[in-house]
Amino acid sequence: GDYRLLAPAHEQVFAYVRETSGETLLVLANWSSAPAALPELGPDHPAPDDEPLLLTHPWAAPDDALAPWESRVLRRSGHTRR
């Protein structure tokens, strides 16, 4: 499969896309003790129809910010985005 690091210079958010066997996952993780706004990820930005596979903070609103230490794994809907 393929791995693409997104926003490598971001100080708090570790984000990447993993593509394999026709499936695309978006992984977002806030590696800090402070809330973090998601960086602009262009076509890789989370979409409303992405399926959550793992949420460390299921009570958190699915918006453009991550709570402290929050991680999300999302299955991209329908097609590979590049």
Side-chain angles (χ1 to χ4, degrees), residues 66-77:
L66 294 169
W69 311 116
E70 180 182 2
S71 294
R72 300 177 194 168
V73 178
L74 307 171
R75 179 181 289 137
R76 304 315 311 252
S77 60

Side-chain angles (χ1 to χ4, degrees), residues 30-54:
N30 178 1
W31 284 359
S32 77
S33 61
L38 289 182
E40 177 51 50
L41 301 174
D44 292 307
H45 206 77
D49 55 346
D50 290 341
E51 177 188 359
L53 297 179
L54 175 73

Side-chain angles (χ1 to χ4, degrees), residues 14-59:
F14 177 58
Y16 66 92
V17 170
R18 174 79 170 143
E19 297 174 312
T20 182
S21 303
E23 182 172 68
T24 302
L25 303 178
L26 173 62
V27 179
L28 304 166
N30 178 1
W31 284 359
S32 77
S33 61
L38 289 182
E40 177 51 50
L41 301 174
D44 292 307
H45 206 77
D49 55 346
D50 290 341
E51 177 188 359
L53 297 179
L54 175 73
L55 303 172
T56 60
H57 294 60
W59 58 88

